[in-house]
Amino acid sequence: MRRVICISALLGLVLSVVYTAPGCASGNLDSGSDTDTDTDTDTDSDSDSDNDSDSDSDSDGDVVSYIWIANSGESTLSKVNTITAQEVARYKTCPLDDCDPSRTSVNLHGDAVVTNRSPSTGESSVTKFASAWADCKDLNGNDAIETSSGPTDVLPWGEDECMLWNTILPTLNVGARATAWDGKEDEETGVGGNIWVGTCIEEDTLVNNNTVYVIDGNNGNILDTIVVSDSTECFYGGAVDATNGFWLMQGYGYPDTLIRVDMETSEITSRPLTCGYGISVDSQGRVWTGGKAIYADGANCISRWDPLSQTEEQVDVADATWLRGIAVGLEKSAGYVWSADTAGVLFKIDEDTLDVVDSYDVGVASMVGVAVDFEGYVWTVSQDGNACYKFDSDTENIIEVPIGESPYTYSDMTGMQLKQAVIIE
């Protein structure tokens, strides 16, 4: 059933937030707070949180936290409540039949963008969605917000009023992938902040270098276009640090390149990188990447680059098939970096020593991305399983959450990487 909420009721609410994590909507504005969506799980309890798992939002301002996952196979975006482990909304990501959504990024306020990678027709684009109903727009003037209420309620393009804007990128620079908010938005209101997007050179284009687009987070306007010379491979992943750096992972096999774009001066620096595919930045400003040293038959590895000491350290992960997503832990998963192996195994790496501490068989095929929510639960995505999985590193319990077709996301799906990187507690 389509979710409709009266704007007059929204305006009467006063938000009293106990704590709002990125990827969260505060107050009782959650589009899934009373959803009837059922989720098949293999556990009696999905969280050690003090929040009631059956009621993820109330007037006292309990946390509402989401992970946003692109379903490449059906051109939709799933919004999953990380506390209840339920999908509370699903959105069309562009006006085309085939949008090919891939990377997602969540800002400090909780709003999300999704980058539509390589549509079969048309151009790459970026689409923004509001996390809280209070930030959705009454487009038809009926004093109500009409938006998705769950996975079976995908509104036609242009009718979901929590979709805020869609920005088409220039035709020649198709294949946009690397996507990250810059963390300059107001955490309480969401106003401000830009999205940085890196492209991917396609063989049938006349473009010689990749481009970085800077998009206004408020209205979707393209503010700047930065050409990165001598960039002959795709910008697969992107992440920001606390010193105005937008880091790009170029390529996904040897030799890779780690590129930094200064978000104030547009100065570009680069260096060779031993291995890479996924990318993340920790609270110390160190850049983490994971992948194969040589794409076709090389060893899987995790790399850590420290910009202060100008040193790279690496650990080989002998038992991995193909490492892709990577995320830095916090709260219950703090002190470790987590990497997703496409064979369905989560690897736990000590953040200080780079030792491979443990591995956990999730038991799924084609595992792609990994992210950490505000409580420290580790989430991963299975492209073949059409599901995401919530992993408790204390109990090793796993909850399966069915989502859309062929989910393919290994970027900052929860906003926790951004929070750790740009907010110094």
Side-chain angles (χ1 to χ4, degrees):
M1 184 175 184
R2 185 168 303 174
R3 179 74 57 188
V4 179
I5 185 168
C6 295
I7 289 180
S8 58
L10 281 176
L11 295 178
L13 290 172
V14 177
L15 301 185
S16 175
V17 183
V18 175
Y19 169 74
T20 303
C24 303
S26 54
N28 51 1
L29 304 178
D30 171 29
S31 61
S33 59
D34 58 352
T35 179
D36 293 330
T37 304
D38 292 327
T39 304
D40 294 330
T41 66
D42 55 2
T43 180
D44 293 330
S45 175
D46 61 18
S47 174
D48 293 333
S49 168
D50 292 333
N51 297 293
D52 180 0
S53 62
D54 293 325
S55 177
D56 52 16
S57 173
D58 61 28
S59 58
D60 293 328
D62 285 345
V63 174
V64 185
S65 170
Y66 302 111
I67 183 169
W68 303 74
I69 303 170
N71 303 307
S72 297
E74 64 177 39
S75 300
T76 64
L77 176 68
S78 288
K79 178 183 179 183
V80 176
N81 185 305
T82 65
I83 298 173
T84 64
Q86 291 186 340
E87 182 179 2
V88 297
R90 192 179 297 183
Y91 310 100
K92 189 82 168 66
T93 63
C94 87
L96 305 173
D97 291 333
D98 175 21
C99 302
D100 193 27
S102 176
R103 313 306 194 262
T104 64
S105 183
V106 181
N107 69 12
L108 298 177
H109 181 61
D111 298 328
V113 292
V114 58
T115 295
N116 297 296
R117 181 176 45 180
S118 298
S120 57
T121 60
E123 302 89 349
S124 297
S125 67
V126 179
T127 309
K128 179 183 178 182
F129 292 87
S131 178
W133 271 334
D135 297 320
C136 302
K137 306 298 182 184
D138 178 22
L139 300 177
N140 57 14
N142 67 349
D143 294 329
I145 294 298
E146 294 161 333
T147 187
S148 171
S149 62
T152 61
D153 181 29
V154 180
L155 277 63
W157 177 256
E159 293 185 15
D160 197 304
E161 295 178 327
C162 288
M163 191 280 287
L164 300 182
W165 50 254
N166 170 254
T167 296
I168 297 174
L169 302 180
T171 303
L172 288 179
N173 283 320
V174 295
R177 283 167 168 77
T179 305
W181 283 89
D182 62 9
K184 299 181 185 302
E185 60 280 351
D186 186 287
E187 191 171 359
E188 294 185 1
T189 66
V191 175
N194 298 325
I195 302 100
W196 292 68
V197 180
T199 63
C200 177
I201 293 176
E202 299 286 346
E203 293 180 358
D204 58 349
T205 71
L206 300 177
V207 179
N208 295 319
N209 298 293
N210 278 310
T211 300
V212 171
Y213 290 102
V214 186
I215 302 174
D216 189 312
N218 294 325
N219 53 35
N221 292 338
I222 296 177
L223 301 176
D224 200 2
T225 301
I226 304 168
V227 176
V228 183
S229 301
D230 301 321
S231 56
T232 57
E233 296 182 70
C234 291
F235 290 155
Y236 275 89
V240 303
D241 63 22
T243 60
N244 294 304
F246 176 46
W247 294 89
L248 290 158
M249 178 65 244
Q250 180 185 240
Y252 58 98
Y254 185 82
D256 297 323
T257 306
L258 186 62
I259 297 172
R260 184 183 187 274
V261 181
D262 190 293
M263 294 187 291
E264 288 191 341
T265 67
S266 298
E267 179 186 2
I268 299 169
T269 55
S270 64
R271 65 173 307 278
L273 186 67
T274 304
C275 65
Y277 197 103
I279 185 170
S280 188
V281 177
D282 65 22
S283 60
Q284 299 181 52
R286 300 175 299 187
V287 183
W288 293 80
T289 59
K292 283 183 180 289
I294 303 173
Y295 172 64
D297 55 6
N300 283 272
C301 53
I302 301 294
S303 175
R304 183 183 68 192
W305 166 251
D306 189 338
L308 293 179
S309 64
Q310 293 286 294
T311 57
E312 179 190 356
E313 297 180 77
Q314 175 190 317
V315 58
D316 290 337
V317 186
D319 297 330
T321 302
W322 180 13
L323 297 178
R324 298 170 84 176
I326 190 167
V328 180
L330 76 162
E331 297 296 336
K332 65 162 54 202
S333 57
Y336 303 98
V337 172
W338 301 82
S339 185
D341 182 18
T342 193
V345 178
L346 276 174
F347 285 93
K348 179 181 181 181
I349 298 94
D350 189 289
E351 190 174 344
D352 292 326
T353 67
L354 270 81
D355 293 332
V356 180
V357 176
D358 213 337
S359 62
Y360 308 91
D361 187 358
V362 182
V364 299
S366 189
M367 200 160 74
V368 182
V370 64
V372 176
D373 67 25
F374 80 101
E375 296 175 292
Y377 290 91
V378 181
W379 289 76
T380 187
V381 178
S382 170
Q383 188 175 13
D384 290 348
N386 299 328
C388 59
Y389 301 82
K390 179 179 181 179
F391 174 71
D392 187 334
S393 57
D394 291 337
T395 65
E396 300 185 21
N397 187 56
I398 299 171
I399 301 172
E400 179 181 21
V401 184
I403 49 178
E405 181 182 346
S406 298
Y408 187 88
T409 303
Y410 57 92
S411 48
D412 187 17
M413 298 173 268
T414 61
M416 288 300 104
Q417 182 276 316
L418 179 67
K419 181 178 174 62
Q420 291 194 79
V422 305
I423 296 181
I424 308 300
E425 300 290 356

